[in-house]
Amino acid sequence: MSTAIEFNNVSKLYRLGLVSSGTLSSDLQRWWQMNILGKEDPFLKVGSVNDRSKAADSDYVWALKDIDFKVEQGDVVGIIGKNGAGKSTLLKLLSKVTAPTTGTIRAKGRIASLLEVGTGFHGELTGRENIYMNGAILGMTKQEIKSKLDEIVGFSGCERYIDTPVKRYSSGMMVRLGFAVAAHLEPEILVVDEVLAVGDAEFQKKAIGKMQDVSKGEGRTVLFVSHNMAAVRNLCINGVVLKNGIVDFTGKADECVDYYLRCETTNNAVAINDRTDREGSGICRVTAIRIDGLSGASTINDDTPLSIEIVLSPKEKIINPRIGVSIYTMQNECALWMDSKSVLGTSVTLTRDTTVRIDISPDFALRAGEYFVNLVCFDTSGNMIDYVQHAIEFKVIQSTFCKTGFYPLGRSMCLVDQKWTFR
């Protein structure tokens, strides 16, 4: 199998603040050296690591640093990482939206990119005209585009508005048409950056199915950026984890997702009262959390009723707070959401440290697997006052919830006591 994409020590340096080098003569010198002589930027300086959570110690930052990996033809590669890790920059370099500061990128075949809503579309042109324009940019003849037109329009679901200027489209319609164009105009490499999150559930399902067809059935290469770990697992064969602009891990998609999620949950070792990576005004904080029945390995049986206790410490009187407790799988899928206001209404007032206990019905259980808990608290006006992700992790192990010993088939995250009757 041949190599479709190759990154060779690719780096991208950005200057924070000013865009130019400061003087016209320096700008001209930079342009001459880089664009005419093909040399490196003469004003290249040592930049700081790309960590968005820390204050800058330099005017320069490496958005990407020494990226070096290959993608084989027909592979579907998931690019994952935190916001600001360099994922979009990597795809923009591949799509030639911007040029690398150092290193080289080799790609075999035409590249169709869907990097953000409206990429490559002209707002004043109709949907039909934009299809022809994008096809021409990809090097296709008018006849080739015409033969695919009905298929593109049908897939996008925008038939009624295809002769309307795209500036009047919603963001979802724009994504639908953009993806349909990118996937159907027969590029050898398809690059998709998170934009599918804008589309509705029905379109996301169609789009993922199309990407699977493109890669498996037609042998094309797909690079897919998403924060939806379930989609990465289902769609991708291999993966790349980016962290602070560098390649942190490469491997099979499942291995990359597991590695990324393990890294994301390292804060669990820090007591919740000491966590600084939290959001909200701070007038009230969650200072403790525990789950009844957890053993030393943070495990609980599926037949043990789930009870969660949290301690809220307000700095001032808070009337009618709204407390949300959500339980997620390690694939970032919500298994359960609990909301104090939906149960208690507006009958709560916090004046001092308060222990809140949530007892979940014993008729409900989580399927065997690993989970984490997110906590959020709002004041009576709906303003967030505290939000902690991965507040605690736990593992559910199969026990006797299903009295027969047979576990339900399917992928449901929940087990519910039920009665079956045959007549």
Side-chain angles (χ1 to χ4, degrees):
M1 189 175 290
S2 61
T3 300
I5 305 168
E6 185 175 356
F7 291 88
N8 292 315
N9 297 315
V10 172
S11 300
K12 182 63 178 179
L13 184 73
Y14 284 113
R15 183 175 183 180
L16 303 177
L18 294 173
V19 175
S20 70
S21 57
T23 64
L24 179 60
S25 61
S26 297
D27 287 345
L28 289 172
Q29 184 180 352
R30 167 184 281 171
W31 177 85
W32 179 264
Q33 293 284 335
M34 296 178 65
N35 294 282
I36 303 302
L37 301 182
K39 296 182 179 180
E40 288 188 358
D41 184 351
F43 297 96
L44 191 62
K45 297 184 179 181
V46 175
S48 59
V49 175
N50 179 20
D51 187 346
R52 61 177 170 79
S53 64
K54 296 180 180 178
D57 56 6
S58 168
D59 289 339
Y60 296 84
V61 62
W62 289 104
L64 293 171
K65 183 68 173 173
D66 299 331
I67 303 297
D68 198 354
F69 67 92
K70 296 179 181 180
V71 179
E72 301 300 322
Q73 183 180 348
D75 198 357
V76 184
V77 179
I79 311 291
I80 57 181
K82 291 183 178 181
N83 292 329
K87 305 184 298 296
S88 296
T89 301
L90 182 73
L91 298 191
K92 286 177 180 177
L93 292 176
L94 175 62
S95 304
K96 298 184 179 180
V97 173
T98 185
T101 306
T102 62
T104 58
I105 303 172
R106 293 186 176 90
K108 184 182 295 183
R110 294 179 298 197
I111 301 174
S113 306
L114 197 56
L115 301 182
E116 54 190 56
V117 177
T119 299
F121 280 3
H122 192 296
E124 298 296 335
L125 299 181
T126 67
R128 189 186 305 275
E129 291 166 340
N130 272 291
I131 292 173
Y132 278 98
M133 181 178 72
N134 274 262
I137 291 172
L138 284 174
M140 300 186 71
T141 66
K142 185 176 180 179
Q143 191 59 40
E144 287 177 311
I145 301 168
K146 189 175 181 179
S147 67
K148 291 281 185 180
L149 186 63
D150 290 342
E151 192 177 348
I152 292 170
V153 175
F155 185 90
S156 71
C158 299
E159 294 96 330
R160 185 170 185 178
Y161 305 100
I162 198 64
D163 291 310
T164 300
V166 297
K167 67 180 181 180
R168 306 194 191 284
Y169 285 19
S170 68
S171 57
M173 288 171 60
M174 195 88 79
V175 165
R176 279 175 167 268
L177 188 60
F179 181 84
V181 171
H184 285 83
L185 290 181
E186 300 185 347
E188 281 73 29
I189 300 170
L190 178 61
V191 178
V192 184
D193 184 5
E194 194 57 67
V195 291
L196 297 185
V198 180
D200 54 36
E202 178 257 342
F203 177 71
Q204 289 185 37
K205 185 177 179 180
K206 281 174 62 176
I208 289 175
K210 180 62 179 176
M211 283 191 282
Q212 289 173 330
D213 292 342
V214 163
S215 60
K216 295 176 183 177
E218 303 171 28
R220 298 184 207 154
T221 308
V222 179
L223 264 64
F224 180 57
V225 167
S226 180
H227 291 285
N228 185 335
M229 296 299 109
V232 173
R233 283 187 191 273
N234 292 334
L235 175 65
C236 300
I237 301 170
N238 293 303
V240 176
V241 181
L242 293 181
K243 181 180 179 181
N244 298 336
I246 63 173
V247 174
D248 195 35
F249 186 85
T250 60
K252 296 296 183 183
D254 284 342
E255 296 172 350
C256 288
V257 170
D258 291 341
Y259 176 83
Y260 171 68
L261 293 174
R262 282 199 304 273
C263 293
E264 283 287 272
T265 59
T266 53
N267 282 323
N268 195 52
V270 180
I272 192 170
N273 195 35
D274 299 326
R275 291 274 296 273
T276 57
D277 59 326
R278 57 206 305 163
E279 300 176 33
S281 64
I283 62 172
C284 180
R285 288 290 193 228
V286 178
T287 53
I289 179 173
R290 76 180 189 89
I291 297 176
D292 273 2
L294 286 189
S295 67
S298 295
T299 60
I300 189 170
N301 293 336
D302 64 7
D303 60 354
T304 303
L306 193 60
S307 297
I308 301 173
E309 280 191 358
I310 62 175
V311 177
L312 296 174
S313 301
K315 296 180 180 178
E316 58 186 64
K317 184 177 181 180
I318 302 175
I319 300 173
N320 300 329
R322 187 166 194 163
I323 304 158
V325 179
S326 53
I327 300 177
Y328 279 78
T329 69
M330 287 301 178
Q331 286 71 48
N332 220 33
E333 299 169 303
C334 186
L336 181 63
W337 166 263
M338 297 170 287
D339 184 331
S340 64
K341 194 170 184 178
S342 67
V343 177
L344 303 175
T346 57
S347 59
V348 179
T349 299
L350 300 179
T351 57
R352 57 186 176 184
D353 284 10
T354 303
T355 299
V356 181
R357 182 180 175 91
I358 307 109
D359 292 308
I360 301 171
S361 169
D363 295 333
F364 167 90
L366 294 170
R367 190 184 185 95
E370 297 183 38
Y371 301 86
F372 63 87
V373 177
N374 289 347
L375 303 172
V376 66
C377 188
F378 301 94
D379 64 20
T380 189
S381 300
N383 301 309
M384 184 188 292
I385 54 182
D386 196 20
Y387 177 43
V388 185
Q389 299 185 68
H390 288 273
I392 192 171
E393 296 173 30
F394 64 99
K395 184 176 183 178
V396 178
I397 57 176
Q398 184 177 342
S399 187
T400 61
F401 186 90
C402 300
K403 305 297 188 295
T404 62
F406 292 100
Y407 231 52
L409 297 174
R411 303 180 65 182
S412 169
M413 292 173 274
C414 305
L415 304 173
V416 181
D417 196 15
Q418 53 204 271
K419 181 179 180 181
W420 289 52
T421 303
F422 288 82
R423 293 179 180 171

